[in-house]
Amino acid sequence: MRQVIELRDVHKSFGTTKIIHGVNLAIGAGERHAIIGPNGAGKSTLYNLISGRFPLSAGQVLLNGEDITGLKPHEINRRGLSRSFQVTNIFHNLSVYENIRCGVLWSAGCGYSFWHRVGGLAEVRRRAEQTMERIGLARRRDVLAGTLTYAEQRALEIGITIAGGASVVLLDEPTAGMSRTETAQAIELVRQVTEGKTLVMVEHDMGVVFGLADRISVLVYGEVIATGTPEEIRANPAVQEAYLGALHKETAHA
Amino acid sequence: MRYQPLNLGRWVLWSATAIVFVVAPLMFTESFALTLLIQMGTMIIFALSYNMLLGQGGMLSFGHAVYSGLGAYITVHALNLVGKGAFYIPVPLLPLVGGLAGLVFGVLFGYVTTRRAGTTFAMISLGIGEMVYACVLMFPGFFGGEAGISTNRVVGQPYLGLSFGPAIQVYYLVALWCFVCIAAMFALTQTPLGRMANAVRDNPERAEFVGYNTQHVRFLQLALSAFFAGVAGGLSCINFEIVSAENVSAIRSGGVLLATFIGGVPFFFGPILGAVVFIFFVVALSGFTKAWLLYLGLFFLVMVLYAPGGIASLLLMQIPVIRARRFGELAAPYVAAFAAALLALAGLIGIVEMVYRLSEQGARTELALLGFAFDARDLAPWIAFGAILAAGLAALRRATRWLGARWSSIQQDLLARQP
């Protein structure tokens, strides 16, 4: 299978604190890959390294075989990788439609144009409206994003991420802070909108992870201790010891 | 073709704007009014160009006069060269020279300033403003030092009877440029760059992750804004026939910030209102009283504290109330608040004017307000104006409470009606 994302011996330290040490990871085209791990394992940091938000301390990141190490976030996005954020990161003072449209503009080839009227760009409008339809916010088109409900903002977060039609989508805890029903809806949304794309997802909800992912990587203290299919991960004693066991204990206590 | 009900309203609005520009000098025929109108037109372009940075791009600049001022300097040299017959540019097109000069300096300085947003941007813009001001004084050969460079806008033969000598011709030149620039700057807000400038203002990080280089967005926005600032500079050069160091000074940069904020940063048309009010303060009020800057400062302070969205937000707030046909309920408290504010203002003006007369060496201390003659050295007027101010403030407090109560009950009803 063709490798879409490849991490080669990636390291990241903040000052003297080592957050990621020596992560190797390969994710194939069309794969739904989940990254799990206890709090503080470095999952979000790993995302920030892949998407260019933070520079790497050492190692290499490849996207579709090309080295993207050290590129700026917008450069990585233009190469077809789009990400969402764990803490909702939207344009609060713009309407839902405008939020989505911001996600569409670059990929529709508008660039920094100041000679096109944005309302007259039929392709941009069509794609933005289609995306709003898909995330179920079409009725909220002209509402300011800052006034949406939390679940709606999370859906918008995913909408902005997929609006540009990126082939690789990184979602950082799309169900964070959601109720059971909201989570189920959000996961259905994720399943639909990432059809035919490569999906990487950080998720805490084990039910979700094992239901959705083709393969799972377990990140513990900045290292990938196991990668495999859901069955392999479930059966892996190291994972049970390091992570699932701890989690089971937590749930048992709760 | 989609049915766009907005289009009709838009046509009406733009036509009305054009009509105001045409009719304004016919309504106010004194030469002083014309001076005022010309400067308002220039200031409108300048303030709108400033809001391309502050309102639309989230860039707080303390050095915007650099672009209008340098645009004015280049225009004054171009005009002098045209006068000497070195080359020919028709006078109506000279603001374009100013605009291009503004653009060039916008590209030059913008490359440095827009590398960062937020406070850093503000600080660098302040630094560049001071640097340019110092340079202008350092090279009197080109910039004319403190005295500046003067010119004569009447060059060559009149074309179609237009020599641009009479002020009314200058007015229509400014009005035409003003209208075109308003339309152009509005059009820019509707382009991909204009929309992404809003996005970068709101959330620069996310803008990066949808494929946009925020630095590049800010840079282009600033360069375009500097173009329009340069046009405003060119027009002021034609109007005043002199350009001096004051044109690039921090005072001008501060002035445009004041005007824009008073008008309303969040709205496209806000700076238009702000420019009109600002020029009224600077030009009209300064003819009446030496304390005009104090009044402007107080007005600015009141706006920042009580109406951070500017005059435009105060006007737009009324629209839903008018739509719901509830404005009648507010009329009485509005009138009361207005009357109370006038009363307080009268007391304040009396005291401020007396302070100014007393503080000034050798000034006459007798003055007259609204037909009342008094002497600032007497105690009685101080007590009287103090009492008027106190009564006005007390009345204003009651009136605003009354207004606030009615306002919030209307707002609650409006909210309750929403689905």
Side-chain angles (χ1 to χ4, degrees):
Chain A
M1 193 163 53
R2 189 169 63 86
Q3 301 303 333
V4 171
I5 296 182
E6 204 177 334
L7 305 187
R8 289 181 185 163
D9 199 26
V10 168
H11 286 76
K12 178 68 187 176
S13 339
F14 292 101
T16 53
T17 319
K18 287 183 178 166
I19 304 296
I20 302 288
H21 23 122
V23 166
N24 288 287
L25 192 63
I27 297 166
E31 185 179 325
R32 289 205 177 102
H33 197 104
I35 296 175
I36 62 173
N39 285 332
K43 305 185 292 291
S44 285
T45 304
L46 200 61
Y47 264 33
N48 291 333
L49 296 177
I50 298 172
S51 62
R53 198 184 194 189
F54 298 158
L56 274 67
S57 298
Q60 239 188 344
V61 182
L62 286 83
L63 179 66
N64 293 318
E66 287 176 68
D67 191 356
I68 59 164
T69 318
L71 292 187
K72 293 263 174 4
H74 65 265
E75 293 168 318
I76 294 173
N77 178 273
R78 289 173 195 176
R79 285 165 191 244
L81 182 146
S82 188
R83 68 163 291 183
S84 76
F85 292 81
Q86 184 185 352
V87 178
T88 306
N89 203 351
I90 57 181
F91 304 108
H92 285 265
N93 292 321
L94 302 184
S95 71
V96 168
Y97 176 68
E98 284 178 305
N99 265 274
I100 299 288
R101 191 168 60 187
C102 286
V104 173
L105 280 175
W106 185 271
S107 64
C110 297
Y112 301 100
S113 158
F114 50 88
W115 49 89
H116 288 107
R117 204 171 59 85
V118 79
L121 300 165
E123 172 67 8
V124 170
R125 191 173 63 219
R126 192 186 61 75
R127 280 170 59 178
E129 280 170 357
Q130 192 185 32
T131 308
M132 279 198 305
E133 206 68 56
R134 293 181 80 179
I135 59 170
L137 288 181
R139 286 193 319 118
R140 309 282 276 164
R141 177 192 164 109
D142 295 319
V143 177
L144 284 188
T147 61
L148 293 175
T149 67
Y150 180 72
E152 284 172 332
Q153 288 189 350
R154 294 304 297 173
L156 183 60
E157 174 81 39
I158 294 174
I160 298 172
T161 310
I162 60 155
S167 59
V168 185
V169 177
L170 271 64
L171 300 181
D172 196 350
E173 293 199 39
T175 65
M178 285 189 175
S179 70
R180 266 266 169 265
T181 26
E182 285 169 342
T183 300
Q185 283 168 355
I187 288 309
E188 196 43 45
L189 175 64
V190 169
R191 198 190 294 276
Q192 279 171 21
V193 299
T194 56
E195 201 67 57
K197 298 174 192 290
T198 307
L199 168 70
V200 188
M201 189 163 110
V202 165
E203 183 55 67
H204 267 308
D205 190 315
M206 285 308 121
V208 166
V209 169
F210 286 102
L212 188 70
D214 301 321
R215 289 205 306 153
I216 297 171
S217 290
V218 184
L219 192 67
V220 178
Y221 298 120
E223 279 174 285
V224 174
I225 60 163
T227 296
T229 63
E231 291 72 37
E232 289 167 352
I233 292 299
R234 225 182 239 126
N236 187 317
V239 174
Q240 283 175 356
E241 176 60 31
Y243 181 57
L244 291 178
L247 200 79
H248 281 310
K249 271 179 216 153
E250 269 175 37
T251 32
H253 282 296
Chain B
M1 189 63 198
R2 242 170 20 127
Y3 172 64
Q4 289 170 308
L6 261 180
N7 275 1
L8 180 65
R10 220 169 251 181
W11 274 105
V12 170
L13 206 61
W14 286 105
S15 312
T17 311
I19 289 170
V20 168
F21 275 123
V22 172
V23 171
L26 308 177
M27 310 258 295
F28 308 99
T29 47
E30 312 89 54
S31 70
F32 177 67
L34 205 55
T35 319
L36 211 58
L37 287 174
I38 293 172
Q39 293 190 46
M40 281 175 182
T42 315
M43 192 68 195
I44 287 173
I45 303 177
F46 192 29
L48 279 174
S49 82
Y50 184 75
N51 209 37
M52 283 179 72
L53 300 182
L54 181 58
Q56 289 149 32
M59 290 175 268
L60 174 62
S61 168
F62 290 123
H64 203 50
V66 162
Y67 307 111
S68 68
L70 290 176
Y73 268 114
I74 302 295
T75 311
V76 80
H77 281 296
L79 185 54
N80 279 338
L81 286 173
V82 170
K84 281 183 203 153
F87 53 83
Y88 178 69
I89 303 172
V91 171
L93 290 185
L94 273 174
L96 200 60
V97 173
L100 291 175
L103 179 66
V104 168
F105 287 109
V107 167
L108 206 65
F109 297 138
Y111 181 74
V112 184
T113 52
T114 57
R115 295 179 77 82
R116 294 272 182 277
T119 314
T120 319
F121 172 86
M123 293 300 120
I124 302 176
S125 75
L126 185 67
I128 286 193
E130 290 303 311
M131 183 192 81
V132 168
Y133 185 70
C135 284
V136 163
L137 293 178
M138 251 192 298
F139 302 103
F142 187 81
F143 295 107
E146 291 269 15
I149 298 207
S150 53
T151 185
N152 181 1
R153 66 177 173 243
V154 183
V155 288
Q157 291 303 309
Y159 178 71
L160 293 174
L162 295 174
S163 65
F164 295 102
I168 186 74
Q169 293 183 10
V170 174
Y171 168 78
Y172 279 111
L173 178 66
V174 169
L176 185 68
W177 271 100
C178 187
F179 186 75
V180 170
C181 287
I182 294 176
M185 282 187 261
F186 180 75
L188 277 176
T189 64
Q190 305 298 313
T191 62
L193 178 70
R195 309 317 301 183
M196 284 317 294
N198 292 166
V200 169
R201 170 200 67 196
D202 274 9
N203 190 344
E205 178 170 65
R206 190 63 197 242
E208 283 277 338
F209 285 97
V210 294
Y212 278 87
N213 184 344
T214 52
Q215 193 181 322
H216 208 70
V217 171
R218 285 194 299 268
F219 171 70
L220 288 172
Q221 187 78 0
L222 185 132
L224 290 171
S225 152
F227 170 82
F228 290 104
V231 170
L235 286 170
S236 85
C237 159
I238 292 173
N239 178 31
F240 290 111
E241 299 184 302
I242 185 165
V243 181
S244 65
E246 203 260 324
N247 284 59
V248 297
S249 66
I251 296 173
R252 284 284 172 99
S253 299
V256 73
L257 166 60
L258 247 64
T260 307
F261 202 95
I262 287 171
V265 170
F267 309 98
F268 176 79
F269 71 95
I272 299 178
L273 304 175
V276 169
V277 172
F278 179 78
I279 290 298
F280 177 79
F281 268 100
V282 173
V283 182
L285 210 57
S286 65
F288 288 113
T289 167
K290 289 207 162 97
W292 67 274
L293 202 52
L294 180 79
Y295 294 125
L296 176 63
L298 280 175
F299 182 59
F300 179 66
L301 212 69
V302 169
M303 291 304 287
V304 171
L305 283 173
Y306 298 106
I311 299 171
S313 78
L314 292 179
L315 293 178
L316 289 176
M317 271 161 66
Q318 315 301 328
I319 289 179
V321 180
I322 294 171
R323 278 220 183 109
R325 298 176 193 282
R326 302 282 298 268
F327 191 73
E329 296 167 42
L330 293 177
Y334 269 138
V335 169
F338 188 68
L342 275 186
L343 192 65
L345 194 62
L348 180 77
I349 288 172
I351 290 170
V352 167
E353 293 302 322
M354 285 193 292
V355 169
Y356 265 71
R357 289 300 173 93
L358 285 182
S359 65
E360 210 175 346
Q361 285 289 321
R364 288 163 40 132
T365 51
E366 308 89 39
L367 22 67
L369 274 178
L370 301 169
F372 293 104
F374 52 89
D375 192 320
R377 283 173 302 187
D378 294 342
L379 184 62
W382 288 91
I383 295 173
F385 280 116
I388 292 174
L389 177 61
L393 287 178
L396 186 60
R397 205 180 150 92
R398 295 200 61 163
T400 47
R401 274 198 196 144
W402 185 23
L403 180 62
R406 289 235 172 143
W407 178 267
S408 56
S409 87
I410 291 176
Q411 292 303 318
Q412 272 175 5
D413 292 350
L414 289 183
L415 269 180
R417 275 202 302 177
Q418 270 174 3

